[in-house]
Structures are given as C-alpha cells and as structure tokens.
Amino acid sequence: MALVSCIEKPNRSGTTFSELTLDLEHPGFSLLSCAMDINRRPCDPFRGDTVCDMALPVACYSSASVDVESSNEQLSEAIAARLARFRVDGQIRVTQAVKGNRFETRQDVNNFCRVTFGEGFRVLSFHESGAPGILSRNKIEPGQRLWVDVRDQPKGNCWDADGEDPTSARASPGGR
C-alpha cells in the first residue's frame, strides 16, 4: 500500500506598504507604512503579506529633490518631530497595478520603474528611511497598498533579491 499526497506549492508573497494619508491636516504629504493603518493587516517583510498573483501598483523612488517651494504647506513642528525618522527627500511615484510575480529579479522591478518614470527611478525599499515607514511630499491615493522591496529578506519579495541593491549607493563608500 502506498500513500500519495499532493501538496500544492504555496503562493509566494511580497511585502506591501499602505498609504496613510496626511492630506486632511497636511496636503501633499503621504505616509507609506508597514503597520500604522489599523484598518489593514500589517506588512510582513520576512515572508511577504500579499500573494504575488495580486495586481498592485509598485512604489517607485528617485532621490532627486522635490520642489517644496512650490507649495506653502509645511508639516507642523509637532507632526514633523514625531515623523522625522520616517522622512525621506526625493520623489515617490506609483505605477499602474501589476502582479508582483511579473518580475523575476529586483533589477526587473527597477527597470520597470525607470521605463515608467525615467532615469533615477527604482523600486522603493522597505528600508528607505531606516524605519518601517516613509514620509514624503507626494500625492498617493489614500489607503492604497503598494509593492515595495525588502533587500535583506529574499522571501519577503515576489522577485528574487538578486540584481541592484537600491541603497548600495548610500551604503558603499563613494556611492555611484
């Protein structure tokens, strides 16, 4: 007698951030976070939190400065102090929704961002601000979930972690 068991391969998952809008108090600012939205499940940078078959926008980042002079809106000192560890300069833009398993490597996602928004754009890193969230001057749809990259947790991405390290320019002496 033999016992045969068919086990379906588990769906791979990737990490997402959720947009927590600050528009009511501070127009033009957006907070992308891992676990600050109590209405959504928190992200899981170790194993991913969203199946890669799901179509979501990719969060793309460029370190090029945003023209903050074009807006008179500023964060209040109290909010700015509370959120300082999440703040990044630069731009975050959002692509159309795509399945996370469309990409095989980080390089593929980075290329998608470059083709969509131009030179200097790449997939946003979970570690961009050094905290589990990112505050930036951007207009992102409230409550939206976005694919992000977790450079040190290959099981936290829909794609393999080989390819460019998005923070290598800052981490290595001399950068690129």
Side-chain angles (χ1 to χ4, degrees):
M1 184 177 281
L3 177 64
V4 177
S5 175
C6 295
I7 299 175
E8 195 173 310
K9 183 179 175 184
N11 286 338
R12 188 165 182 170
S13 294
T15 303
T16 61
F17 272 170
S18 181
E19 194 284 338
L20 183 63
T21 190
L22 298 176
D23 249 6
L24 297 176
E25 296 175 41
H26 304 286
F29 284 92
S30 188
L31 179 62
L32 298 176
S33 71
C34 188
M36 290 184 183
D37 186 346
I38 61 170
N39 298 314
R40 298 201 181 240
R41 69 189 176 286
C43 74
D44 184 347
F46 302 103
R47 291 183 305 270
D49 53 73
T50 304
V51 294
C52 296
D53 290 350
M54 172 115 13
L56 295 173
V58 175
C60 298
Y61 175 75
S62 169
S63 60
S65 294
V66 175
D67 181 14
V68 294
E69 298 303 318
S70 63
S71 171
N72 293 328
E73 314 303 338
Q74 296 295 321
L75 287 173
S76 69
E77 286 185 37
I79 295 285
R82 265 189 14 225
L83 297 177
R85 69 188 180 123
F86 297 105
R87 182 70 192 252
V88 295
D89 291 325
Q91 304 173 52
I92 297 172
R93 293 192 185 162
V94 178
T95 69
Q96 78 273 11
V98 294
K99 291 182 178 183
N101 57 11
R102 167 185 178 167
F103 309 106
E104 290 186 28
T105 67
R106 180 183 299 127
Q107 180 65 43
D108 293 340
V109 190
N110 287 339
N111 288 338
F112 179 69
C113 287
R114 280 186 204 109
V115 167
T116 304
F117 298 116
E119 279 304 313
F121 278 91
R122 59 167 170 75
V123 64
L124 181 71
S125 171
F126 176 87
H127 301 285
E128 205 69 57
S129 69
I134 295 164
L135 174 70
S136 63
R137 183 178 281 282
N138 293 283
K139 183 78 171 158
I140 297 172
E141 184 179 326
Q144 186 163 41
R145 290 210 64 115
L146 308 165
W147 294 120
V148 297
D149 182 68
V150 185
R151 71 177 178 269
D152 61 350
Q153 298 296 328
K155 291 183 179 178
N157 297 313
C158 291
W159 45 86
D160 289 333
D162 56 355
E164 294 177 1
D165 181 345
T167 57
S168 63
R170 285 183 287 153
S172 64
R176 337 185 229 183

